Amino acid sequence: MERYTGAFEEAVDGARQQERHYQLLSALQSLVKELPSSFQQRLSYTTLSDLALALLDGTVFEIVQGLLEIQHLTEKSLYNQRLRLQNEHRVLRQALRQKHQEAQQACRPHNLPVLQAAQQRELEAVEHRIREEQRAMDQKIVLELDRKVADQQSTLEKAGVAGFYVTTNPQQPFCIPGADTADEPVGTHQEATAEGLPGGEDSLVTRWGLCQLPAAHHG
């Protein structure tokens, strides 16, 4: 009798797992429909089915949550580093401006044009230094974000999540890796922008993001 009871429970569990797999697969298929058609073509039914299987026990969601926490800490750290650099540059500009004003006030009128020309050269040199330091900081941010993306991809690959592997190809369907620092600046990923990371025409920060699965579908 116990043998039959155990077999019945296994059958029930199997049916529940199958139903849960179907629900996850349906949710993934709905998400795929929101992607550009070029990405949809890369996500086959088999890939989505394997991905749904990896989500059944909830372990992947715990992994993703851990990766998200690390990502947010990284974003906050990078934001604070760049903010400190910006503050240093603001203090430098203020000090230089005050220095120039005091020098002009003490300067004889006939020497003023010469002084102003020298101050202009000094100002341009300082602004050049500031731009270079900002560029170096942005490069550092890009490289750090790229490393984090590679770590995320590797972790999910080792967890057996279908479709995840380490890549720097921005055309991969599941991942949005940071571009190489030699690429043209294209702004920031939405999450990075929310954290205050640099973007715009003068920034090297490029698209990046956690290769994650929507936790909203876990339940």
Side-chain angles (χ1 to χ4, degrees), residues 67-128:
L67 293 176
L68 274 173
E69 291 175 0
I70 294 173
Q71 174 178 319
H72 292 157
L73 288 173
T74 300
E75 290 173 349
K76 184 175 181 180
S77 175
L78 293 172
Y79 169 75
N80 288 334
Q81 290 179 43
R82 198 171 196 276
L83 185 61
R84 283 195 297 270
L85 181 63
Q86 290 175 331
N87 289 336
E88 291 174 3
H89 290 161
R90 182 166 55 252
V91 171
L92 178 61
R93 285 188 174 108
Q94 290 175 347
L96 183 62
R97 185 162 51 248
Q98 182 176 356
K99 171 188 170 183
H100 286 178
Q101 290 175 350
E102 292 175 353
Q104 290 179 19
Q105 291 173 358
C107 181
R108 296 179 180 276
H110 64 276
N111 290 331
L112 189 59
V114 176
L115 175 63
Q116 289 176 331
Q119 290 179 340
Q120 180 62 30
R121 290 192 296 271
E122 183 180 17
L123 176 62
E124 292 173 356
V126 169
E127 289 298 331
H128 176 75

Side-chain angles (χ1 to χ4, degrees), residues 139 142-143 146 168 170 177-185 204-207:
Q139 288 178 326
V142 170
L143 292 175
D146 282 349
T168 57
D180 186 88
T181 53
D183 290 345
E184 294 183 4
L204 287 173
V205 173
T206 54
R207 294 173 301 155

Side-chain angles (χ1 to χ4, degrees), residues 50-63:
D50 290 343
L51 187 56
L53 284 173
L55 302 177
L56 285 177
D57 66 357
T59 302
V60 171
F61 294 99
E62 296 178 3
I63 293 174

Side-chain angles (χ1 to χ4, degrees), residues 1-10:
M1 183 65 181
E2 292 181 357
R3 183 179 63 180
Y4 291 112
T5 300
F8 176 74
E9 291 178 350
E10 288 181 4

Side-chain angles (χ1 to χ4, degrees), residues 28 42-55 60 153 155-165 173-175 211-213:
L28 289 171
R42 301 177 183 215
L43 297 172
S44 66
Y45 177 89
T46 300
T47 298
L48 293 179
S49 180
D50 290 343
L51 187 56
L53 284 173
L55 302 177
V60 171
Q153 294 169 340
T155 299
L156 292 173
E157 179 184 18
K158 292 176 181 177
V161 182
F164 285 86
Y165 52 90
F174 292 152
C175 307
C211 303
Q212 62 175 299
L213 301 168

